[in-house]
Amino acid sequence: MGFMRGSRMNPGDGRTRSIMSVVIVMGLCGFFYILGAWQKSGTGRGDSIALRVTKETDCTILPNLHFETHHTMDGVNPLVMNSKAFKPCHIRYSDYTPCQDQNRAMKFPRENMTYRERHCPAENEKLHCLIPAPKGYVTPFPWPKSRDYVPYANAPYKSLTVEKAVQNWIQYQGDVFHFPGGGTMFPNGANAYIDELASVIPLADGTIRTALDTGCGVASWGAYLMDRNILTMSFAPRDSHEAQVQFALERGVPAVIGVLGTIKLPYPSRSFDMAHCSRCLIPWKSNDGMYMMEVDRVLRPGGYWILSGPPINWKTYYKTWKRSKQDAEEEQNRIENIAEMLCWDKIYEKGDTVIWQKKANSNACHNKDGRTSKMCKVQDADDTWYKKMEACVTPIPDGAQLQKFPERLFAVPPRILEGTPGVTEEAYEEDKKLWRKHVDTYKRINKLIGTSRYRNILDMNAGLGSFAAVLDSHGSWVMNVVPTISDRNTLGIIYERGLIGIYHDWCEAFSTYPRTYDLIHANGVFSLYQNKCDLEDILLEMDRILRPEGAVILRDSVEVLNKVRRAVAGMRWKSKLLDHEDGPLVPEKILVAVKDYWVGSDAGNSS
């Protein structure tokens, strides 16, 4: 009110300020007009400065990009038209997985599944071309229809329909695959199988939020757990059961290519509330129980391990398995003994299924009966990237109680309360506020965010997971990646929030098939990897795993994003640079982009 009274008492001052504002605006307009004319004139030592100023001020609030699904797009920004054009790869590379390439895999030992682990190409073996989509590729069906139906053209492989015909995994019907929800060990459907588990495990009250499915097949277990608000990280090797993980991702279910071999799983300790193996064919008794010990490392205290299939119920099936009674009995006994050594309690056994529960506080158990000799000596149980798996038990630190979901999504995670270097409670609260603002901005830019249009979302530098937490929706899920070169290892915090994610080094290819993500978000990734690896390699990997007509949101410094813009213009992306939410003077900018629709051809061309 005081301000209003002052304005009425001094009308002359207001007119003076108004005239001065007009003069200033006209002066600035004149300055940039002269600067632009100077730039176009081709003379003077200020050309490079003028060009940089023009680029850095080429921001807008509205991107003028089309995010809807269609096959043609108009126009690109003329500032980036002079970029080199990346050629399409041959159509034979349409499902290329660089670090799980089958030809390269055969050069490695088969013992302990070494050949199925990550083996990335050397620099001179990398493909510097765009991975094409197969002919007829279409945008997947929206969730939940995608859980049951996948367009045949998107993953044109029928071998599973033959191999698993009697197990109700997958059926070929005209131009689509149908996934009835069956599995080798749940012939009555995944829901009936999960109902059986729910009679023992509290699946409905938020106690169980994150699950791990080893040897997942087409991930029907994880697909149907989503109805119960449980997120499952499913993995399977790229092997003779062609395209298992690809089918899972086409269905809209979280999955990666992976195997229990010689290297630790790329997840932090105490990540999962529940782990599962349904006829996953992992030799659990081998290597002194090393694989069960690795499951124990990633399983939260109080968590559950479900084993269904061989050797469970061996008395009924040992002849069908063509094994001796003694051998089958010995295998189950060995698994039972390892579980007891791990301080797991067997709480259920019926038919083909056994459920164990990890003690909520197993330290006392491990400190008796000579078990201390089995404890790992490793200092950091979350340091797993390319680290050798060990046949030892990971100690459990004393920690704060984890809340049930959904409260845990925004509650302070126990790891922060325990003291994670560089992350305080205050910093965590500020991070939540910041990402609420950022996500609101993204939704204004692209109104399809938060809808079923973007089902599979990748966050390349997830930090504390607040982007995924704010975005949390039944229509989508986020794969939170914590780069291995990050200053802070925050993936354990992300899991404690009830989200899922993985460690990864973006100088290498991601463990997934091409075209498996609808939306990719990257905050500061290119600044993080400056002088670590080539910007083009990271962008080509993003293009490989992004669906045609998928969207990208990059947040970084203006200098970095201008380099990115020049590169992506040659990758068949349409892009636009936007100002930061707090205005044009903030050096951090936002780059939004849409990948063109195009498919490959036998001649190596594209259409």
Side-chain angles (χ1 to χ4, degrees):
M1 291 296 294
F3 173 78
M4 291 298 292
R5 283 196 299 269
S7 296
R8 282 194 293 267
M9 290 172 64
N10 299 285
D13 292 346
R15 284 195 297 271
T16 301
R17 283 194 295 268
S18 177
I19 292 170
M20 288 181 63
S21 298
V22 171
V23 171
I24 291 170
V25 170
M26 291 178 65
L28 286 172
C29 290
F31 170 73
F32 282 110
Y33 176 80
I34 295 169
L35 194 60
W38 186 19
Q39 176 193 343
K40 292 180 179 180
S41 69
T43 61
R45 286 161 41 180
D47 289 359
S48 61
I49 299 174
L51 181 61
R52 190 173 74 242
V53 169
T54 303
K55 286 181 179 179
E56 293 182 3
T57 55
D58 181 39
C59 301
T60 180
I61 299 301
L62 297 175
N64 197 28
L65 288 176
H66 301 285
F67 294 100
E68 292 80 5
T69 303
H70 50 81
H71 296 337
T72 59
M73 291 180 140
D74 298 322
V76 295
N77 194 302
L79 287 173
V80 291
M81 283 296 288
N82 57 352
S83 303
K84 75 172 185 180
F86 292 90
K87 294 181 179 179
C89 305
H90 192 277
I91 191 66
R92 66 175 175 270
Y93 291 107
S94 64
D95 289 324
Y96 182 54
T97 54
C99 295
Q100 283 92 5
D101 179 61
Q102 291 172 297
N103 294 327
R104 187 180 301 105
M106 300 313 295
K107 300 176 183 177
F108 292 87
R110 301 177 80 87
E111 183 183 6
N112 292 328
M113 298 292 282
T114 301
Y115 74 121
R116 294 296 184 201
E117 294 183 311
R118 287 176 58 85
H119 303 291
C120 299
E123 190 63 36
N124 62 349
E125 295 176 315
K126 290 182 179 179
L127 297 179
H128 291 280
C129 52
L130 304 175
I131 300 297
K135 293 178 183 178
Y137 179 88
V138 295
T139 302
F141 299 115
W143 184 267
K145 184 178 179 179
S146 65
R147 184 186 66 186
D148 302 329
Y149 296 96
V150 165
Y152 170 76
N154 290 14
Y157 305 110
K158 296 182 183 178
S159 60
L160 278 178
T161 64
V162 177
E163 290 185 43
K164 303 297 180 181
V166 299
Q167 295 165 10
N168 222 21
W169 275 30
I170 179 174
Q171 301 166 355
Y172 176 60
Q173 299 178 351
D175 58 353
V176 300
F177 289 111
H178 179 220
F179 297 84
T184 308
M185 300 313 301
F186 31 98
N188 296 322
N191 262 333
Y193 175 74
I194 293 169
D195 284 341
E196 179 187 357
L197 303 181
S199 69
V200 182
I201 302 172
L203 300 182
D205 67 353
T207 300
I208 306 299
R209 167 61 177 176
T210 56
L212 179 71
D213 193 9
T214 57
C216 64
V218 295
S220 288
W221 189 68
Y224 282 85
L225 278 173
M226 283 185 160
D227 288 344
R228 305 171 195 238
N229 213 15
I230 295 171
L231 273 176
T232 305
M233 175 67 78
S234 299
F235 72 83
R238 178 162 188 162
D239 60 9
S240 57
H241 291 168
E242 196 168 26
Q244 294 178 87
V245 168
Q246 188 176 23
F247 279 129
L249 286 154
E250 284 295 320
R251 298 175 72 185
V253 182
V256 292
I257 302 171
V259 65
L260 271 167
T262 67
I263 303 299
K264 291 182 178 181
L265 295 173
Y267 316 113
S269 61
R270 299 173 285 147
S271 297
F272 299 99
D273 304 310
M274 178 169 62
H276 176 253
C277 162
S278 172
R279 201 181 178 89
C280 62
L281 305 181
I282 294 170
W284 295 111
K285 67 180 179 64
S286 301
N287 301 313
D288 297 320
M290 181 171 69
Y291 300 137
M292 288 179 66
M293 292 174 184
E294 179 64 358
V295 170
D296 180 76
R297 181 186 70 81
V298 300
L299 193 62
R300 201 178 307 287
Y304 300 85
W305 187 55
I306 304 140
L307 177 61
S308 63
I312 308 304
N313 205 6
W314 59 268
K315 292 178 182 178
T316 303
Y317 295 115
Y318 74 92
K319 290 182 180 178
T320 305
W321 299 337
K322 298 181 180 179
R323 295 174 63 178
S324 70
K325 181 178 180 180
Q326 181 181 358
D327 178 56
E329 181 180 16
E330 182 182 326
E331 183 178 0
Q332 177 159 351
N333 287 340
R334 178 65 180 136
I335 290 173
E336 300 269 12
N337 292 336
I338 296 167
E340 183 181 358
M341 183 270 296
L342 290 170
C343 299
W344 295 357
D345 296 323
K346 185 163 75 170
I347 61 174
Y348 179 82
E349 181 171 6
K350 184 178 179 181
D352 303 334
T353 302
V354 177
I355 302 174
W356 284 269
Q357 184 175 20
K358 181 176 178 176
K359 290 183 183 296
N361 186 354
S362 57
N363 287 332
C365 171
H366 287 305
N367 289 330
K368 66 180 183 180
D369 300 333
R371 288 190 173 107
T372 52
S373 62
K374 289 283 188 180
M375 303 304 286
C376 299
K377 304 299 189 292
V378 65
Q379 296 296 313
D380 185 359
D382 295 352
D383 182 16
T384 66
W385 188 247
Y386 286 127
K387 295 295 190 300
K388 284 287 184 183
M389 200 184 298
E390 300 177 83
C392 60
V393 181
T394 303
I396 301 172
D398 295 327
Q401 184 67 33
L402 188 66
Q403 294 192 34
K404 294 181 178 182
F405 196 85
E407 288 76 18
R408 67 192 264 194
L409 186 61
F410 290 107
V412 180
R415 272 176 163 88
I416 294 179
L417 295 173
E418 294 161 15
T420 297
V423 186
T424 63
E425 291 183 54
E426 293 76 16
Y428 173 71
E429 295 297 336
E430 284 300 315
D431 190 73
K432 289 192 298 185
K433 292 178 184 176
L434 179 66
W435 282 100
R436 283 192 181 99
K437 181 172 73 171
H438 288 343
V439 172
D440 284 346
T441 298
Y442 298 159
K443 288 181 176 179
R444 287 197 300 272
I445 293 168
N446 182 350
K447 298 187 185 304
L448 297 176
I449 293 175
T451 72
S452 60
R453 172 65 181 87
Y454 301 127
R455 172 66 181 172
N456 303 356
I457 301 175
L458 179 71
D459 193 357
M460 295 176 66
N461 187 17
L464 300 177
S466 292
F467 167 76
V470 173
L471 202 60
D472 184 52
S473 164
H474 291 294
S476 63
W477 57 270
V478 180
M479 181 69 76
N480 294 282
V481 177
V482 172
T484 56
I485 65 171
S486 295
D487 293 334
R488 304 178 302 178
N489 184 348
T490 55
L491 192 55
I493 291 171
I494 289 170
Y495 272 95
E496 288 180 341
R497 298 185 73 174
L499 304 167
I500 57 171
I502 194 168
Y503 294 118
H504 185 64
D505 181 357
W506 287 112
C507 290
E508 299 180 359
F510 197 58
S511 293
T512 192
Y513 283 82
R515 302 172 303 282
T516 47
Y517 287 94
D518 305 297
L519 172 66
I520 297 178
H521 175 256
N523 175 39
V525 164
F526 294 98
S527 288
L528 179 65
Y529 277 92
Q530 279 191 116
N531 306 318
K532 299 291 191 304
C533 49
D534 198 308
L535 175 147
E536 285 186 1
D537 286 345
I538 298 176
L539 285 170
L540 286 170
E541 176 60 7
M542 292 172 66
D543 184 81
R544 183 184 76 88
I545 64 181
L546 182 65
R547 295 191 193 279
E549 300 185 316
V552 175
I553 302 174
L554 307 179
R555 183 179 287 271
D556 219 312
S557 70
V558 66
E559 293 84 1
V560 168
L561 291 184
N562 272 317
K563 293 177 183 177
V564 171
R565 265 179 100 198
R566 286 192 289 273
V568 302
M571 291 169 51
R572 309 187 187 198
W573 292 13
K574 302 297 187 294
S575 68
K576 194 73 177 181
L577 193 63
L578 311 179
D579 285 323
H580 189 277
E581 295 92 339
D582 294 336
L585 298 182
V586 180
E588 181 179 273
K589 304 295 179 186
I590 305 168
L591 184 74
V592 293
V594 178
K595 178 178 174 178
D596 284 358
Y597 176 92
W598 63 279
V599 298
S601 70
D602 295 333
N605 302 317
S606 61
S607 61

